[in-house]
Amino acid sequence: MIAHVLGGAEIRDSKLECNVFTNSLEFATLELYKACNEVYRCFTSNEKQQLQVLHTQLDQCLKLQTTYSNLSTAKVSQQTEQTLVSEAKKLHALTESLKAGESFLIPGGWPGTKKDQTPIAGHAMLYKIEKKSNGKFSFTLYNSGLGLQDYHRKQDEKYACSMQHSNIDKNTLNQSFFKDLVQLRVAANWKNRSQLSKELPPSPKTLYKQILEPLSTHKVTISPDEVIRAPQQAQTCTWQCITLWEEHSLKRDTFELLSLCTKMHTAKRWKRQASDGEKITKEIAGKMLERLNQEKQNFPQATKRLYQYHGKKSARTTPEKDDGRLAQQAKKHIPRTSTLQAKKSEDQRINKRTGPVRSYKDLSTDEIRNLFY
């Protein structure tokens, strides 16, 4: 999980790739809980309200994925066919219960499988159903990898990773539609799949051209908040699709702060628990450090807010009544050269935390770990 949050192309073709969708959802749900429940105290009250909504939605999605994970290992029988119908009814009921402006998430994609002993890669996505003020619905798909090149709008070397179909009437989002989504998510490894009423091989083509075909008459909305990204550089889809949804759902500065908080505290946890990073080599760790420092530079306002909070937190440990006296003593007794040296040390400390560092190739693994937070 640490490598998925902090890493990118550097973990390609390593044992750090791939993750159970349930684990990524649990991790992201916990991060949202921290953000809206005073663990990460750098968010405003309005931001916490937004994050609370996202936490509720992702927690519900996690419960759905837990059910789907259990279904994916079930043997095909009439009961399992009926279970697909039952799960489709739940999603249809959730859609029917939505009020204007409300939405819910569905864990999407398909699990990895084999065809003629040839592995077929699984892929995770998120789907969002939202009810609009006019009584119509929108269906948004969050995809960070497979299918982008063939079915998503391209912009330079990046893609519109969030695809939204709008102005959908409720009859289109029927039980048959939801049953197909659930079946694609859970049934790839079932034995005797031919017993099912419909064959849905796991692939982007099945999703985009077959299951989503009823939505083809509804235009794909190009909105200002559309998420444009380069395709994932490693098999990290279970985490990337969640951050796509967060980026699409939050204001830009809130998302940047949440992203930075998540990565900084993940790095801090890895720093404290060396066993979590046993598979993370020195080279991968160094590149993840470079990526984290680059993100600090790309998100200057989020970095400033994060460190301002930590500065205030440290200041509160000194009693207010001593602040003036201690400041006067420092000004009176510390020589000017020492003051200049202290300022220089402070500048070095800030540069160490927010600016570029020397090449990881010159550092040991422990030194790299200590620079993460």
Side-chain angles (χ1 to χ4, degrees):
M1 195 69 246
I2 292 171
H4 283 230
V5 175
L6 297 174
E10 58 270 15
I11 70 170
R12 185 190 302 144
D13 299 327
S14 75
K15 294 182 179 180
L16 297 166
E17 284 192 298
C18 302
N19 195 18
V20 178
F21 202 2
T22 306
N23 293 347
S24 294
L25 288 168
E26 286 178 343
F27 189 90
T29 302
L30 178 60
E31 289 302 304
L32 286 169
Y33 177 84
K34 292 177 183 177
C36 56
N37 285 277
E38 297 297 329
V39 178
Y40 298 160
R41 301 182 184 179
C42 45
F43 292 94
T44 66
S45 57
N46 288 336
E47 288 173 329
K48 290 175 185 175
Q49 291 177 2
Q50 298 171 17
L51 294 166
Q52 182 61 59
V53 172
L54 265 63
H55 174 264
T56 301
Q57 292 178 348
L58 201 63
D59 187 54
Q60 183 183 51
C61 182
L62 173 59
K63 292 175 182 177
L64 288 173
Q65 173 55 26
T66 301
T67 300
Y68 297 167
S69 179
N70 293 332
L71 283 176
S72 66
T73 58
K75 293 182 179 180
V76 170
S77 65
Q78 185 62 29
Q79 182 181 2
T80 304
E81 174 78 23
Q82 292 303 314
T83 302
L84 291 177
V85 174
S86 176
E87 291 301 317
K89 288 181 178 179
K90 292 179 183 178
L91 295 179
H92 186 258
L94 281 173
T95 304
E96 292 281 327
S97 67
L98 289 177
K99 298 178 181 178
E102 292 182 340
S103 60
F104 71 94
L105 292 173
I106 304 171
W110 54 89
T113 185
K114 287 185 178 181
K115 184 176 182 181
D116 300 326
Q117 301 305 312
T118 302
I120 298 177
H123 189 52
M125 306 180 192
L126 281 178
Y127 314 134
K128 182 174 78 172
I129 308 288
E130 182 177 3
K131 187 172 185 178
K132 300 297 185 178
S133 57
N134 62 358
K136 301 288 187 177
F137 294 85
S138 68
F139 178 93
T140 307
L141 180 150
Y142 301 98
N143 181 8
S144 62
L146 289 174
L148 286 180
Q149 292 85 347
D150 296 324
Y151 303 106
H152 286 242
R153 185 173 66 86
K154 187 175 182 180
Q155 182 172 311
D156 298 325
E157 297 303 316
K158 300 181 180 181
Y159 292 87
C161 295
S162 58
M163 176 186 285
Q164 183 179 97
H165 294 271
S166 59
N167 206 34
I168 304 170
D169 60 71
K170 65 178 183 180
N171 293 329
T172 304
L173 301 177
N174 52 36
Q175 291 184 25
S176 176
F177 172 77
F178 288 121
K179 178 176 175 291
D180 288 349
L181 288 180
V182 175
Q183 180 177 329
L184 182 66
R185 180 68 212 154
V186 306
N189 290 306
W190 284 356
K191 297 179 180 179
N192 303 319
R193 290 194 304 275
S194 59
Q195 295 182 20
L196 294 174
S197 58
K198 186 183 293 186
E199 177 66 19
L200 296 173
S203 70
K205 184 177 180 180
T206 299
L207 175 65
Y208 287 91
K209 302 300 288 185
Q210 188 172 348
I211 298 177
L212 299 184
E213 192 276 333
L215 307 183
S216 61
T217 57
H218 303 277
K219 66 178 182 178
V220 175
T221 304
I222 301 176
S223 58
D225 59 351
E226 186 178 43
V227 182
I228 307 294
R229 282 192 195 177
Q232 63 190 53
Q233 301 300 304
Q235 295 184 42
T236 56
C237 54
T238 60
W239 178 251
Q240 293 296 328
C241 68
I242 296 171
T243 63
L244 282 171
W245 164 71
E246 291 174 339
E247 184 174 355
H248 188 248
S249 304
L250 294 169
K251 292 182 179 179
R252 187 66 199 176
D253 54 348
T254 307
F255 168 73
E256 290 178 356
L257 186 58
L258 176 64
S259 176
L260 195 59
C261 279
T262 299
K263 291 181 179 180
M264 293 289 286
H265 287 80
T266 300
K268 187 176 182 179
R269 189 183 74 172
W270 177 55
K271 176 181 171 181
R272 275 189 264 184
Q273 301 174 358
S275 59
D276 286 353
E278 288 178 353
K279 297 179 182 178
I280 300 178
T281 65
K282 173 182 172 180
E283 182 177 3
I284 291 176
K287 289 181 178 178
M288 290 197 306
L289 174 62
E290 291 174 354
R291 183 183 297 275
L292 182 58
N293 280 331
Q294 184 61 52
E295 181 150 337
K296 293 179 193 176
Q297 295 175 22
N298 292 342
F299 299 164
Q301 292 302 318
T303 303
K304 183 178 179 181
R305 286 179 62 184
L306 182 61
Y307 284 125
Q308 276 181 338
Y309 160 68
H310 283 290
K312 290 177 181 177
K313 182 179 179 182
S314 298
R316 283 197 295 270
T317 60
T318 304
E320 280 188 24
K321 63 181 180 180
D322 290 339
D323 285 351
R325 179 173 56 83
L326 293 174
Q328 288 298 321
Q329 286 181 352
K331 185 176 180 180
K332 181 177 180 180
H333 296 293
I334 297 179
R336 179 175 176 79
T337 54
S338 298
T339 303
L340 292 175
Q341 183 63 38
K343 185 179 185 305
K344 183 178 179 180
S345 298
E346 175 68 8
D347 290 341
Q348 291 174 342
R349 182 183 67 82
I350 293 174
N351 289 335
K352 179 180 177 181
R353 299 180 80 179
T354 62
V357 299
R358 57 197 172 104
S359 172
Y360 68 86
K361 295 178 182 178
D362 301 330
L363 306 174
S364 69
T365 302
D366 287 340
E367 287 175 323
I368 292 172
R369 191 192 303 278
N370 291 331
L371 285 173
F372 264 97
Y373 191 86

